[in-house]
Amino acid sequence: MRISDLSRLSGTPVGTIKYYLREGLLPPGRPLGATLTLYGDEHVQRLRLIRALTSRGGLSIAATRDIVTAMDQPLEPLDTLKVVHYSLPTPVDAAETDAVDEHLPRVDRLLTALGWDVSAESPHRRALAASLMDLSRLGLEYSTEDLLPYAEPAAAVARLDLDRLEHIDDRLRLAEYAAIVVLLLEPVLAVLRRLAQENESHHRAAFTATTDETAPKPRPQD
Amino acid sequence: MRISDLSRLSGTPVGTIKYYLREGLLPPGRPLGATLTLYGDEHVQRLRLIRALTSRGGLSIAATRDIVTAMDQPLEPLDTLKVVHYSLPTPVDAAETDAVDEHLPRVDRLLTALGWDVSAESPHRRALAASLMDLSRLGLEYSTEDLLPYAEPAAAVARLDLDRLEHIDDRLRLAEYAAIVVLLLEPVLAVLRRLAQENESHHRAAFTATTDETAPKPRPQD
């Protein structure tokens, strides 16, 4: 297809497609003469992945290029997830690096207590240290013991996530799914937690109201 | 204390404090003569809450005012969480409202299946519909059956969150903690999930490698 068809099919302006080609996010098309270049379905798919990463996932062009470039290498399926992970921006202010690093031992203690197999180079170690520092500064300390009970729900979610990624053989499709599952399922999980908080607070309020009067109301199963 | 001391103690510039006073986010101080106004510890605490909501939580001034104004009304402790919840911005584009509403029945089906007690006015219903719409458009359908297993981890986290908020009697402190727990624990949970995904993918890779050779390696307990 011509670039105009690629633009129409993918909903991406021609100028944006040319920008992605220049920046190496999109592989070049097949030249057919001096003025015509042809593109294929793989370009449509790649554009969808780029849009998922940049607009919904909020990734920079550089981080997106890291991911899509890595996708072109031969990769084990599970390594795909790591590439997506390690390309994600971790919001640690450069000026705060030293302060954040003081909280890294707390992360190490947690990972040791959990027995989790996480690479020493994982950027998420420092991201977690930064979040724990934020909470400490606001007067809310989360110790290893406080965090441990949050780990099993996280592990349960991770197993569901990985189940969703198994048995996808097409590498580009796997990369797209990994990015979507990692990045775009996050708001779903955040909203589910808020809905669960409201449900839980209704239960507790009802329980408190009842114990004020007679016998405690049996708590419905979640 | 004078406004200069309030500024120093809270780390907030005097101009910003005056802006918050004008916008009604901060209650007025006690006037002592024509040119001197005195502020108290409650102003320091309130400024810390405002900063937590605006800078770390990413809330607008309007949403922050909704929360801090509601805090000045007599509230049941558990209602505090609702005020925080319902003041949060839900990222649904006005132009997309109709499209999002088509996905609301999916949310209703999920909440019915879960038996969760969530108000019909909860803004999180539409927020979840919007996220499910996003995923559908990217070709990743999450049915009620797909989402159900994510609910129990969310409920487990919500119980931990509510435990943290119980037995806080000071209303302003409770509001601050509710905002912090709802908003600032979110990145902690997101990072825990990513760490758990890496751990889980290492396990599955090790399992696959071993089954290729001899007997399956027993999977360590998470």
Side-chain angles (χ1 to χ4, degrees):
Chain A
M1 69 187 85
R2 291 155 182 266
I3 196 166
S4 54
D5 299 317
L6 179 61
S7 168
R8 191 175 40 76
L9 260 176
S10 67
T12 314
V14 170
T16 307
I17 294 176
K18 288 186 173 168
Y19 170 66
Y20 291 157
L21 286 165
R22 279 199 307 277
E23 291 290 322
L25 273 77
L26 202 59
R30 189 161 55 87
L32 206 77
T35 56
L36 184 62
T37 308
L38 291 185
Y39 300 89
D41 285 342
E42 71 277 16
H43 289 90
V44 179
Q45 203 182 6
R46 175 66 66 103
L47 280 172
R48 196 167 61 170
L49 171 59
I50 293 171
R51 191 171 50 195
L53 294 171
T54 55
S55 103
R56 307 290 182 170
L59 290 197
S60 68
I61 291 295
T64 305
R65 183 174 39 218
D66 285 350
I67 293 180
V68 296
T69 309
M71 293 310 118
D72 293 330
Q73 318 298 320
L75 271 179
E76 291 298 312
L78 291 171
D79 287 338
T80 302
L81 191 66
K82 199 166 196 165
V83 169
V84 171
H85 269 166
Y86 286 24
S87 305
L88 295 175
T90 46
V92 178
D93 194 331
E96 299 227 294
T97 308
D98 288 347
V100 168
D101 283 356
E102 284 177 30
H103 294 264
L104 272 176
R106 299 172 62 188
V107 175
D108 290 338
R109 274 198 300 277
L110 176 67
L111 291 174
T112 304
L114 289 166
W116 281 4
D117 181 7
V118 172
S119 159
E121 292 91 49
S122 168
H124 301 308
R125 291 173 177 267
R126 182 168 279 137
L128 184 53
S131 287
L132 295 179
M133 182 186 76
D134 278 354
L135 287 164
S136 294
R137 285 183 176 176
L138 288 164
L140 224 74
E141 289 291 339
Y142 276 84
S143 68
T144 301
E145 288 67 34
D146 293 328
L147 291 170
L148 279 175
Y150 284 98
E152 181 42 41
V157 166
R159 286 190 291 270
L160 293 167
D161 294 336
L162 273 278
D163 287 346
R164 190 89 191 198
L165 296 180
E166 285 199 340
H167 315 299
I168 299 179
D169 291 325
D170 179 80
R171 267 193 302 121
L172 196 55
R173 192 79 188 136
L174 178 67
E176 188 187 354
Y177 273 42
I180 293 170
V181 164
V182 170
L183 287 173
L184 303 186
L185 209 57
E186 227 158 63
V188 171
L189 300 173
V191 172
L192 277 180
R193 173 177 173 241
R194 290 178 189 178
L195 291 167
Q197 285 171 340
E198 180 172 337
N199 174 58
E200 180 69 16
S201 69
H202 284 163
H203 279 320
R204 295 194 185 195
F207 181 79
T208 309
T210 329
T211 46
D212 285 349
E213 298 154 26
T214 56
K217 186 177 164 184
R219 181 182 150 151
Q221 290 298 309
D222 294 281
Chain B
M1 69 188 85
R2 290 154 181 268
I3 197 167
S4 54
D5 298 318
L6 179 60
S7 168
R8 191 176 40 75
L9 260 177
S10 66
T12 313
V14 170
T16 306
I17 294 176
K18 288 185 172 168
Y19 171 66
Y20 292 157
L21 286 165
R22 277 198 308 276
E23 291 290 321
L25 274 77
L26 203 59
R30 189 161 55 88
L32 206 78
T35 56
L36 185 62
T37 307
L38 291 185
Y39 300 90
D41 285 342
E42 71 278 15
H43 288 90
V44 179
Q45 203 183 4
R46 174 68 65 102
L47 280 172
R48 195 167 62 169
L49 172 58
I50 293 171
R51 191 170 49 196
L53 293 172
T54 55
S55 105
R56 305 290 181 171
L59 290 196
S60 68
I61 291 296
T64 305
R65 183 175 39 216
D66 285 349
I67 293 181
V68 296
T69 309
M71 293 309 117
D72 292 330
Q73 318 299 321
L75 272 181
E76 291 297 312
L78 290 172
D79 287 338
T80 302
L81 190 67
K82 200 165 195 166
V83 169
V84 171
H85 269 165
Y86 286 23
S87 306
L88 294 175
T90 46
V92 177
D93 194 330
E96 298 227 295
T97 308
D98 288 346
V100 168
D101 283 357
E102 284 177 29
H103 293 264
L104 272 176
R106 300 171 63 187
V107 175
D108 290 337
R109 275 198 299 278
L110 176 68
L111 292 174
T112 304
L114 289 167
W116 281 5
D117 181 7
V118 172
S119 159
E121 292 89 52
S122 168
H124 301 307
R125 290 172 178 267
R126 181 168 278 137
L128 183 54
S131 287
L132 295 179
M133 181 185 76
D134 277 354
L135 287 164
S136 293
R137 285 184 175 173
L138 288 163
L140 225 74
E141 289 291 339
Y142 276 86
S143 67
T144 302
E145 289 65 37
D146 293 329
L147 290 169
L148 279 175
Y150 284 98
E152 181 40 42
V157 166
R159 286 190 290 272
L160 293 167
D161 293 336
L162 272 281
D163 287 346
R164 190 88 190 199
L165 296 181
E166 286 200 339
H167 315 299
I168 300 179
D169 290 325
D170 179 80
R171 267 194 303 120
L172 196 57
R173 192 80 188 133
L174 177 67
E176 188 185 355
Y177 273 42
I180 294 171
V181 163
V182 170
L183 287 172
L184 303 184
L185 208 58
E186 228 158 63
V188 171
L189 300 173
V191 171
L192 276 180
R193 172 176 173 241
R194 291 178 189 179
L195 291 166
Q197 284 171 339
E198 180 171 337
N199 175 58
E200 181 68 17
S201 70
H202 284 162
H203 279 321
R204 296 195 184 194
F207 181 80
T208 309
T210 328
T211 44
D212 284 350
E213 298 154 25
T214 56
K217 186 177 164 185
R219 182 185 151 151
Q221 289 299 307
D222 294 282

